[in-house]
Amino acid sequence: MRTRTTAVATGTALLLALVACDPAAEPTTESKPSAANSGQPAGLTAKTAAAGLADATGVKTLGDPTDNTAGCSQEAAGEKPHANDCSQLITTDTVSIYEFQTPKVAAYWVKQMGKQQDWRQVDRFALAWGARDQDLTSDERRTELTKALGDLVAKDQ
């Protein structure tokens, strides 16, 4: 338990550091706002993606979905909004699903965080395996989840 808590705390600190990086070197938001930021219903969100991924992979749930948006969004943490904030973060026992404003911001996070953990980009979303028991998720299952998210994104467009 201590190891997981330390890993999550370290990951959260790194995520917030990425959000607060030099603005001149960062991507900017340029697409439609998501439900997390606009307060209005949008298409696919990290939360609806979690349910859709469970359904697409033949399970009821990906395991204890929890909204951890404050761990990757200065705005959700009560601070000044930042261009690299995530719109929503849903953490499950199987995978963490990050939603960003644009594919460019998602690519930035995947490039930075992918140096330390398995992160995979699907459009404006990123799937990551670095929290809870996510290291137990097989590579085959990770690939299946990535493909299923791609299918969900395609249906949403």
Side-chain angles (χ1 to χ4, degrees):
M1 182 67 129
R2 185 180 309 164
T3 304
R4 243 188 293 156
T5 302
T6 302
V8 171
T10 301
T12 300
L14 183 55
L15 291 174
L16 289 175
L18 280 174
V19 169
C21 291
D22 175 20
E26 298 166 1
T28 57
T29 57
E30 53 199 40
S31 72
K32 65 180 181 183
S34 74
N37 284 343
S38 70
Q40 298 177 353
L44 189 64
T45 65
K47 185 175 182 178
T48 59
L53 288 175
D55 187 51
T57 57
V59 296
K60 286 186 176 183
T61 177
L62 297 175
D64 192 23
T66 306
D67 188 331
N68 288 316
T69 306
C72 67
S73 169
Q74 288 185 178
E75 181 177 24
E79 302 293 327
K80 183 179 173 184
H82 192 276
N84 282 352
D85 279 354
C86 75
S87 301
Q88 192 173 59
L89 166 58
I90 302 298
T91 305
T92 73
D93 294 334
T94 306
V95 64
S96 293
I97 306 162
Y98 292 79
E99 175 190 354
F100 299 99
Q101 288 294 313
T102 67
K104 185 176 180 179
V105 176
Y108 172 79
W109 280 75
V110 169
K111 180 180 177 186
Q112 297 302 316
M113 296 301 292
K115 295 173 185 176
Q116 299 176 21
Q117 300 170 350
D118 186 4
W119 277 60
R120 301 179 189 188
Q121 181 184 356
V122 178
D123 194 69
R124 63 187 180 89
F125 294 90
L127 299 178
W129 293 269
R132 298 188 186 175
D133 291 327
Q134 296 171 351
D135 59 333
L136 301 175
T137 305
S138 71
D139 192 53
E140 293 79 20
R141 183 65 155 184
R142 293 175 188 207
T143 299
E144 179 183 16
L145 290 164
T146 304
K147 183 187 178 314
L149 182 55
D151 293 345
L152 290 172
V153 167
K155 286 180 187 175
D156 187 55
Q157 295 177 345

